[in-house]
Every structure is written in structure tokens, then in C-alpha cells.
Amino acid sequence: MSTESKTTGWISPIFARFPMLRKALKNSGWIFGCGVLSNITAFVASVMAARYLDVTEIGAIGYAASIVAMLRIFVSLGIDEVACREISQEPDSSPQVITSSMAIRLTAAAITIPAIVAFALFMTPQAIEGRAYILVIMSLGLFGVPFSSASIHYASHLRSAVPQRINATLAILYMAMVAIGVQQRLSTGYFVSLIAAQQALGGLIVYWIYRSNEITDARWSLVRKTAKSLLHDSWPQTLSGFGILIQAYSDQIMLGEMKGLDSVAQYSVALKMTTVMTFAPLAILASFLPSLSRRFKSDQNSFWIGFHQANRLASILCVAIVTIVYFIGAKLVLLTFGDQYSGAAVLLSVMSMRIFLTCLGIIRGSFLVNANILQYSMLTVLIGTVLNILLNLKFIPSHAEFGAVYASLISFLVTTVIVDLLFSKTRQAMLIAMRGWAFPFLNYENQVFRI
């Protein structure tokens, strides 16, 4: 008997007994594979642009990208997790949920995008004075957000291969176009336009495929009802998301205003490296979140077991990644981006601690959505946001980029962990999560190395 036959004979009964496991692993494979390709190509493109453009121009792009990223939540409106929960629990509701999400977001985009353009043209921030066109162009990429609602359908049905392949293809094209721009010595506006085009096309193409291949007929009476329900459940998530984005991106905006665009460039390069390294655990965890939603509705004990397992897995992955960053992260920055980003090389080792908090926050968010205590989430984020701004004001003048990192780490720790331990409705979840992170070799019943 061949090795392959033995392996198949051993694995097949497991997949036959747990079909959702097989589907989740396949979904994870697509997310991970396409995500790796997308991240590698995007990273290579960013390296080419960083080596070609002036450091100040890179800082201006990072500054504008931070503003757009923060305001993106007012187009997406935090609907994704709530919509995914609804479809995971009621698969037949997909046409109503997707159509409702898109209608809500189209309305929001019609307000948000012109507001950003008006802000860029008439109230130009001092840090990008003379470069307001960068903010205008990047805001146009938000046009794809309403159409990306179709991705919720594929994510909730564990069919993420569709949007992931589209994103990977666009990432490859983006890298090729950046290479052409570098070779032809094109202007900064060209590179900014590529960023906006990639973001817009991603949503448009996913929606076109969804309309072509899926059942999309929705009753408008149900759409209106669903839209009201989504807005009712997601508004705390919208405000929470905005607060989280302020925590994540206000550092670069405040750095630009207080220390200049060169500091923003160093910070954004270190953040880019951290984001690339955070992808692997997030891609793996993403496929288990719909399963947690189903478990929460059907069997609470099963949910807690899955919740604990997700935190155990995240702990192992994050420790491995941060260890690699500690030993070779600085060398990787200098090797790829060049000596002009030596500040980012030093900054990376500290910023990599965000990987732990990001992964913990994703799993924690799954519990908050399923337990429908999103108003509490909004409160915790508000606390973290105010704290982050105050800490930035304190640390950036004396510690520059490092001060911004210290502020974000402390504020995320308070938002994600400390406040949850103080609140009775979330204390159990956080204690289970912390046990998974601290003792990944123990399962939910405290058995060693047992799944």
C-alpha cells in the first residue's frame, strides 16, 4: 500500500465524521494561499515604490492612507460581522442580507467620499499641504466598498476562494503596474491611482461574479426590514470600528502633524512589515469564526470549546512569528527597504507586539458579536480611543515613532483585555481566552496536548 493510500485511509474517516472541518480547512487553505500571494506581491510593490519615491512622499501616502482607512468604516458601517452571523445562522437569507448591505453602503459612500474630497481641497492638513491630491485620489478607492458586500456571502458559506482569487489576481497586476511605473519614472500620482484602482476593482469584480453565479433575487419588503435590522445591530460595531481605526491609524496622523512626514514613513514601513506577518494567523482564524457562530446558537459548551481552541492556536502562531521578528526582523527591513528606513528596522521589534493583541481582538470580537453585546464593545473602544490620543500627545513629542507605538500598545491592551476582565458579561470569555494563550498545551478540559 502506498504512503498516499495510507494517509488517505487515515484522514478520510475524520473528514467524513466532521464535514465542516474539511470545509473549514479547505476555506483556510484558499484564504492562506491567496493571502500569502497577495501579501507577497503587495509587499514587493511597496518595496519598489519605497526605494523609488522620496521618503517624504512615502510618508504623505501613509498619512493619506490613514485618513481614508479611518473613514472607511463610515462606508462599510461595521456590517460584515453582523451580516455574516445572519447568513451563517440562516443560509437562505443571503440574498436579502447582501442586497441590504449593499444598499446601505451605497448611500453611505455617496456621503463619505465627497466629504473626504471637500476636506482635502478646502481644509488641507498642514502635513500634506501641497499634496492634497493624494488624499483625493485615495478616497475614490472607497467606491468599491459597497460592492464588496458580496464577499460576505462567500465568507459565511466558507467559499472564500472566490474573493481571494480576485484579490490575488489584482495584487499581481498591481505589482506589475508598480514595476512599470518605476521603470518609466512616473510621478507619485500614478502610484496613488494604482492603490485606489485596486481597492475599487476588488469589490466591483466580486459583486459581478456574485450576480452572475448566485441566487441574488431579493424581496424588497424583506430587504427594507433586513436593512433596519442590520443597522440596528451594527451601529455599535460601526462606532467601535471607528474607534479601533483611530487607535490603529491616528498615530500616523499625529506623527505627521507633530514630527513630519519622514517619521510617518518610518512608522508606516514598520507597520507594513507587522501587517504582513500578522496575516498568517488571521487567515487561519478567519475560517473558524462562522463555525463559532453556529456553535453559539446550537450548543454553548461547544462554543466555549471552540473559542478556547481558537485562542490556543493563535497563541502558538503568534509566539512563533514574534520570535522570528525578534531575531531577523530588523535585517529584513534594511535588506528590503534600504538603509533610509533604519528607523523602521529598530521600530519593528516593538511594534510586532501588536500581533498578539490583533489576533486576540479578532477572536474576542466573535464572542461579542454572537453574544450581541456590541454596545459594550463600543464603550471599551471609546475608552481605548481616548486613552490612545492622550498617550500619543504625551509620548510622541519625546519619543517620536516609538511613542506612537507605546501609545497604541497600551490602549489596545486596555481595550482588548483589561476592561473585559472588569465587566461581568465578558469576564468568562476573557479568562478562557487568557488560559488558551498562557497554556496552549492544555485543552478546554485541562488535558495535555489533547484537541
Side-chain angles (χ1 to χ4, degrees), residues 256-297:
E257 294 297 322
M258 299 168 72
K259 291 293 182 179
L261 293 177
D262 286 4
S263 289
V264 177
Q266 302 295 334
Y267 187 95
S268 64
V269 166
L271 182 61
K272 193 179 297 293
M273 292 287 291
T274 303
T275 302
V276 169
M277 293 175 180
T278 309
F279 165 76
L282 292 184
I284 295 172
L285 293 172
S287 290
F288 291 94
L289 298 186
S291 175
L292 287 179
S293 295
R294 284 186 288 271
R295 290 188 184 197
F296 190 89
K297 185 177 182 181

Side-chain angles (χ1 to χ4, degrees), residues 366-432:
S366 175
F367 166 72
L368 296 178
V369 170
N370 286 292
N372 201 24
I373 50 176
L374 298 179
Q375 293 186 21
Y376 159 78
S377 176
M378 179 184 66
L379 176 62
T380 62
V381 170
L382 178 62
I383 294 171
T385 301
V386 173
L387 181 61
N388 183 62
I389 293 174
L390 293 176
L391 291 174
N392 273 320
L393 291 172
K394 176 177 176 58
F395 291 143
I396 287 178
S398 56
H399 299 284
E401 302 97 298
F402 280 95
V405 177
Y406 299 150
S408 65
L409 288 176
I410 294 172
S411 62
F412 274 118
L413 180 64
V414 170
T415 301
T416 308
V417 179
I418 295 176
V419 180
D420 273 18
L421 291 173
L422 298 175
F423 186 54
S424 59
K425 290 186 178 180
T426 56
R427 187 178 299 122
Q428 179 186 6
M430 184 50 59
L431 289 174
I432 292 174

Side-chain angles (χ1 to χ4, degrees), residues 295-311:
R295 290 188 184 197
F296 190 89
K297 185 177 182 181
S298 60
D299 184 354
Q300 287 282 302
N301 189 60
S302 176
F303 170 81
W304 289 122
I305 292 173
F307 183 78
H308 183 260
Q309 289 174 347
N311 281 284

Side-chain angles (χ1 to χ4, degrees), residues 92-162:
D92 293 339
S93 67
S94 185
Q96 279 76 239
V97 173
I98 299 304
T99 304
S100 301
S101 299
M102 183 175 173
I104 293 169
R105 287 171 167 176
L106 280 171
T107 304
I111 298 171
T112 304
I113 296 175
I116 297 176
V117 172
F119 171 75
L121 294 177
F122 301 109
M123 294 176 285
T124 306
Q126 181 179 351
I128 58 168
E129 193 170 349
R131 298 182 178 88
Y133 71 93
I134 294 177
L135 183 53
V136 172
I137 295 173
M138 293 194 75
S139 69
L140 299 179
L142 296 176
F143 180 72
V145 173
F147 300 96
S148 68
S149 299
S151 297
I152 302 171
H153 169 83
Y154 295 110
S156 58
H157 287 87
L158 296 181
R159 293 169 53 199
S160 295
V162 175

Side-chain angles (χ1 to χ4, degrees), residues 5 14 26 44 51 145 148 165 205 225 242 276 345 395 416:
S5 299
I14 298 177
K26 183 178 180 181
V44 172
R51 285 183 169 272
V145 173
S148 68
R165 282 183 291 191
I205 296 174
K225 181 179 179 181
F242 182 59
V276 169
F395 291 143
T416 308

